Amino acid sequence: MARKKSITLLHIAQELGLTIQTVSKALRGHPGMSEETRGLVIQTAAALGYRTKEQLRQLEQERIAPFPLYTRRFILVQSERSLGFLRLLLQGLNERFAEYGHRIDTLLLPEPTSPEQFRHWLELHNVGYADGIFIAPRIVPGFMEQSLLELQLPRILLNYPPPETKVDSVVWDVYEAMYIAVRTLVRAGHRRILYVGDIHLQRGFILRWQAFQEAMKEIGVHVKEEEHAVARRDAGQPWLDDFAVKYEIYKPTAVICGIDEEVAPVYYRLQTWTKVPENCSLVGFLNEPIDHLPLVDRPALLIRETGYRAADRMLWRIANPQQPYEHIRLKGDFVGGETIGKSFS
């Protein structure tokens, strides 16, 4: 770790083939360069272990050692349902922890068992001996998440926290994302919008649906589950059949898919009927773009950034165990694509 103490602006400049002045301006946030160059400088500085005086002062205030003496081991606990965004979460966690020499391991939860068997599983995998754990979203049944939240070690929940839970949480803000999605469609002339996605199983799913209802209410449309949502998540194709029925009855001019894995099936089903994107607009809550689809209009879900920020929060919690818990929501912008057209109502 001693090597990182000697990193200077010159090292970063030589690494990137830039001048010291350019590197300094980038790290201080001064104008005079592209955002791509600025981002590259910041990323390289972090990878080399360089910190500005302001960053060092901030770390000192938060009681976080900028050059720790030993490597900490953290665990990201996830289920089969959370594998879709695991790579992005790990990328963010690893980026931040690499600056301190810490490591993050992953642990896949077992199939649902009894609470007693699950506690035995935690002991078998020595989860309680980690320096801290990150709890991914979409963990069911509830007793598994609750058991993880009750562990006596630093915990960061990568989800919206249950009421009365004493835990720090960091999450990409799906409530804000849904508002942005609806308002974007409304500005494009749409009022008849159909929502596709589970609205009962997970806290994040419920919040998506609530935000959809509130955003639609702003334009005078009172949304009902039986008319405006395809909410079933049965195995196989039944939910797509439900989508077909409601699409024909409601005749929406736009569809919002609230869950990543539903975007492609809905897109291809819409193609069958309406030659998307000409006749029906589509917004999808994609974790990241999908190669075999056109560029889907979507709210940016800051999953990698959530991992990065959660790593920060973990180090802060370890250094400040008595401070109040906080809930951090990361808000992204809307990413324009090729699947929003004009209303044909």
Side-chain angles (χ1 to χ4, degrees), residues 32 49 89 137 169 174 216 226 233 266 281 289 305:
L89 280 176
S169 63
V174 295
M216 293 295 288
E226 60 271 19
R233 294 290 297 149
V266 166
S281 292
E305 293 83 355

Side-chain angles (χ1 to χ4, degrees), residues 7 15 33 59 65 86 132 150 269 295 304-305 332 334:
I7 293 297
E15 180 78 14
M33 72 196 68
L59 290 172
L86 175 63
E150 291 173 356
R269 180 60 67 95
L295 189 61
R304 181 187 63 81
E305 293 83 355
F334 194 85

Side-chain angles (χ1 to χ4, degrees), residues 180-194:
I180 293 174
V182 172
R183 288 179 174 179
T184 300
L185 287 171
V186 170
R187 284 192 290 267
H190 297 282
R191 291 179 61 87
R192 295 204 310 275
I193 305 172
L194 182 66

Side-chain angles (χ1 to χ4, degrees), residues 15-76:
E15 180 78 14
L16 297 173
L18 301 173
T19 66
I20 294 178
Q21 290 75 15
T22 298
V23 171
S24 178
K25 287 167 61 177
L27 294 176
R28 292 174 179 271
H30 293 173
M33 72 196 68
S34 68
E35 288 305 310
E36 181 181 0
T37 298
R38 187 186 310 279
L40 185 59
V41 170
I42 294 172
Q43 183 178 7
T44 302
L48 293 175
Y50 176 82
R51 293 180 177 85
T52 65
K53 292 181 181 179
E54 290 77 12
Q55 288 173 323
L56 290 172
R57 290 194 190 101
Q58 184 66 29
L59 290 172
E60 182 179 2
Q61 291 174 1
E62 296 180 351
R63 302 177 184 177
I64 299 174
F67 308 105
L69 298 177
Y70 67 94
T71 298
R72 293 184 182 274
R73 172 181 171 265
F74 300 102
I75 296 176
L76 171 61

Side-chain angles (χ1 to χ4, degrees), residues 73 75 107 120-131 153:
R73 172 181 171 265
I75 296 176
L107 195 58
H120 176 71
W121 182 89
L122 292 174
E123 294 176 3
L124 185 65
H125 288 79
N126 296 318
V127 174
Y129 292 95
D131 289 291
L153 70 161

